[in-house]
Amino acid sequence: MNSHIKLFDKIAFIYQWFFQLQVNSYQKTIQEYEEYLNISQGDKVLDLGCGTGAFTYALQERGYEVTGIDASQAMVKHGRENNVNCIQSNIITGLDFPDNNFDLV
């Protein structure tokens, strides 16, 4: 396992402390810039490096179908506890999705 993944496994609980604060911030940012995303409610979004899922959650709240990806098992565990669709995977080794599966990455 890469050292950076081990690090994020160790600090995932700290990220969790700030989950709601991050969600609030992301919601404001998404609302402000949503018109530039060029997607519609229900479109599929991939959140790479989702951590505990704050950005994923904020996008879900706006009506997008979001999948979060993170290499850290602990981050994914917290993300799932936060009711976000996230999976543990590492983009360096490749992702198991068909081409053109997402409307926004």
Side-chain angles (χ1 to χ4, degrees), residues 43-103:
D43 281 356
K44 295 172 77 173
V45 177
L46 180 62
D47 179 7
L48 298 172
C50 69
T52 60
F55 190 59
T56 307
Y57 187 90
L59 287 167
Q60 283 179 179
E61 290 287 296
R62 300 292 293 178
Y64 303 111
E65 183 182 329
V66 189
T67 301
I69 302 290
D70 204 284
S72 164
Q73 182 177 3
M75 290 287 192
V76 169
K77 177 183 175 282
H78 285 293
R80 290 177 179 159
E81 290 169 357
N82 292 326
N83 296 313
V84 297
N85 176 29
C86 57
I87 60 174
Q88 182 181 4
S89 189
N90 192 332
I91 63 170
I92 293 171
T93 58
L95 302 176
D96 193 23
F97 295 108
D99 289 347
N100 301 313
N101 193 55
F102 296 95
D103 301 296

Side-chain angles (χ1 to χ4, degrees), residues 9-71:
D9 278 340
K10 288 180 182 178
I11 64 172
F13 74 97
I14 296 170
Y15 272 65
Q16 185 63 13
W17 292 344
F18 299 98
F19 176 78
Q20 193 56 56
L21 183 66
Q22 288 179 309
V23 168
N24 295 343
S25 176
Y26 288 139
Q27 285 173 334
K28 290 176 188 173
T29 302
I30 292 167
Q31 186 173 4
E32 185 174 344
Y33 295 101
E34 193 166 32
E35 66 186 88
Y36 300 106
L37 295 178
N38 198 28
I39 57 174
S40 302
Q41 285 189 347
D43 281 356
K44 295 172 77 173
V45 177
L46 180 62
D47 179 7
L48 298 172
C50 69
T52 60
F55 190 59
T56 307
Y57 187 90
L59 287 167
Q60 283 179 179
E61 290 287 296
R62 300 292 293 178
Y64 303 111
E65 183 182 329
V66 189
T67 301
I69 302 290
D70 204 284

